[in-house]
Amino acid sequence: MNKQAGSQPVSLRALFPRITIVCLIIAWLVVGIFSLWGAQWLSEPLDNTIAIICFVVLFATIIMASFGVVGEADHLAHQLGEPYGTLILTLSIVSIEVILIASVLLGPGEFPTIGRDAIFSVMMIILNLVTGLCLLFGGLRYGEQEYNAQGAVTYLSMIIVLTGLALVLPNYVSGAGEFGFVQAVAFSIVTIAVYGLFLWMQIGGYSRLFIQPVSGCMTVAAGAQDELHQDEVTSSVLDKRAIIIRSVILIAMILPIVLLAHDLAILIDYGIQTVNAPVALGGVLIAIIVFTPESITAVKAALNNEMQRAINLCLGAFVSTVGLTVPAVLIIGLVMNKTVVMGISGVETVLFLLTVVLTGFSFIGQKTSPIQGILHLALFAVFSVLLFST
């Protein structure tokens, strides 16, 4: 792209707004405080009052930092266009999820199902709650919304195969829902290879599958993606300085989450044991912490009539969740000699099948329907009830 007359690089004040500076200061201040006194506060036996205060502080800080990550990634998304920008956002968020799950696995408690629970919770939240809200709110505002059907089918194919291998197959290779050593290694390699090839194609010659087509079309013709990609970039000039600075800020927002994840994992373990809550609640909490900011971004995209971006965020987020989390959990289990249970229950298998079938029907037409959104929300309501009653 050629530089147009009058275009100016983004100012430092725009790159470092006051809210960003405040968020960074608070996040790193909390990191410093817990580095100095966290071990003392979280040592056994924990005091209930101190545990609650620490959980609230850590939860709020990580959520705040997650919003900061989404904000910076969103700026990069608009600068780089689709699908590159959304891919950066999704990978940033999913990396946080992997960090939190790893922290729980490596924590003092035994939570062999935390990886499975987190993946399943993300599926129900992203594919039902968030997708339902996007379809419903976008439909109420615009009636019906268009998207790239080829990209949606590609996402759904990845979801069915990778999730089926990760969460359903273990129940049929082991009565306990576990993979054997050779199976864990093999399926980790297969998942990494398939997801890696998917990313390579997504940012390469098949990027057209994940770009919003022109009105009235369900696909983007081969060779037309470069023109559409250029139209999506908000500036005629790729401001390299802005991209580098925003990337540094994004990393500076992620690091506090990494450093505080272990302390939060201790409190999640303690809270679940103290109130005798369902073990799966830990996975739900991780999903809420990680995907709340991205979920809001997806709903905003639907309200802006950017349904393809909403699909990239929702379906792409779950594909990345499975593609990155499954190998990470299995490898941690093998290296640290931790028991890892991946197989979901019979009830969860039914919910999984209903979710993928409904998602398939939601995205096989040319336009979305708000009625499908209501059905997705109904499935999420069923999941919420069953979480505490089975």
Side-chain angles (χ1 to χ4, degrees):
M1 291 181 287
N2 296 323
K3 187 173 181 178
Q4 295 180 353
S7 60
Q8 296 293 332
V10 181
S11 67
L12 286 177
R13 178 172 293 183
L15 292 173
F16 288 99
R18 182 174 300 176
I19 186 64
T20 298
I21 296 173
V22 171
C23 287
L24 284 171
I25 291 174
I26 293 175
W28 282 99
L29 182 61
V30 172
V31 169
I33 291 173
F34 274 85
S35 297
L36 294 174
W37 295 289
Q40 176 184 340
W41 293 337
L42 303 181
S43 60
E44 296 288 348
L46 271 70
D47 179 86
N48 287 341
T49 303
I50 293 178
I52 292 173
I53 294 173
C54 289
F55 177 81
V56 170
V57 171
L58 290 172
F59 185 89
T61 302
I62 290 177
I63 284 286
M64 179 193 68
S66 297
F67 272 102
V69 169
V70 170
E72 296 306 317
D74 203 38
H75 283 299
L76 289 171
H78 285 288
Q79 180 75 36
L80 297 173
E82 294 294 346
Y84 312 103
T86 298
L87 188 59
I88 291 172
L89 173 56
T90 298
L91 292 177
S92 299
I93 292 298
V94 174
S95 67
I96 295 173
E97 181 201 18
V98 173
I99 292 164
L100 291 175
I101 293 174
S103 298
V104 174
L105 269 177
L106 298 174
E110 287 294 331
F111 292 90
T113 64
I114 188 63
R116 173 198 74 184
D117 294 337
I119 293 171
F120 187 76
S121 297
V122 169
M123 182 183 73
M124 299 307 294
I125 290 173
I126 293 294
L127 297 190
N128 285 320
L129 176 60
V130 182
T131 298
L133 291 174
C134 289
L135 294 176
L136 180 59
F137 291 162
L140 291 176
R141 173 170 286 190
Y142 299 102
E144 297 174 329
Q145 294 177 287
E146 298 178 334
Y147 57 92
N148 192 319
Q150 284 184 298
V153 169
T154 303
Y155 279 132
L156 288 168
S157 301
M158 290 286 292
I159 288 170
I160 292 170
V161 172
L162 292 185
T163 311
L165 290 176
L167 301 185
V168 179
L169 184 62
N171 289 325
Y172 298 94
V173 298
S174 167
E178 303 174 38
F179 285 123
F181 178 84
V182 174
Q183 294 167 344
V185 172
F187 285 119
S188 295
I189 294 173
V190 168
T191 301
I192 292 172
V194 171
Y195 181 63
L197 287 171
F198 170 76
L199 289 184
W200 177 69
M201 292 181 179
Q202 188 178 17
I203 63 177
Y206 290 89
S207 62
R208 62 186 176 85
L209 304 184
F210 309 96
I211 297 175
Q212 180 76 42
V214 296
S215 180
C217 296
M218 296 177 64
T219 60
V220 174
Q225 66 264 32
D226 291 338
E227 181 179 350
L228 287 174
H229 171 72
Q230 182 169 347
D231 290 341
E232 288 185 344
V233 177
T234 57
S235 173
S236 61
V237 179
L238 283 177
D239 189 340
K240 294 182 180 179
R241 185 191 66 160
I243 291 175
I244 292 173
I245 292 176
R246 291 199 183 281
S247 299
V248 171
I249 296 174
L250 186 146
I251 294 172
M253 288 288 190
I254 291 179
L255 284 178
I257 299 173
V258 175
L259 298 173
L260 296 174
H262 177 70
D263 293 334
L264 183 67
I266 293 175
L267 293 170
I268 290 176
D269 294 350
Y270 175 75
I272 290 175
Q273 293 173 357
T274 301
V275 303
N276 197 28
V279 176
L281 185 61
V284 174
L285 285 174
I286 290 175
I288 292 173
I289 291 170
V290 173
F291 286 99
T292 293
E294 186 173 15
S295 299
I296 294 173
T297 303
V299 174
K300 286 182 177 178
L303 289 172
N304 290 333
N305 204 22
E306 300 173 343
M307 182 50 67
Q308 185 58 46
R309 177 161 166 74
I311 291 174
N312 289 345
L313 287 167
C314 292
L315 302 188
F318 186 61
V319 169
S320 297
T321 294
V322 181
L324 295 176
T325 305
V326 171
V329 169
L330 292 177
I331 291 171
I332 289 173
L334 295 175
V335 173
M336 304 304 296
N337 197 27
K338 291 270 189 177
T339 301
V340 174
V341 177
M342 295 299 296
I344 54 179
S345 68
V347 172
E348 290 171 332
T349 301
V350 173
L351 288 176
F352 163 70
L353 293 174
L354 288 174
T355 297
V356 295
V357 170
L358 177 59
T359 305
F361 281 124
S362 296
F363 295 111
I364 60 173
Q366 183 174 354
K367 298 180 179 180
T368 61
S369 166
I371 298 175
Q372 298 297 114
I374 294 173
L375 295 175
H376 281 281
L377 294 175
L379 261 185
F380 179 77
V382 172
F383 162 71
S384 301
V385 172
L386 292 176
L387 180 64
F388 294 97
S389 64
T390 56

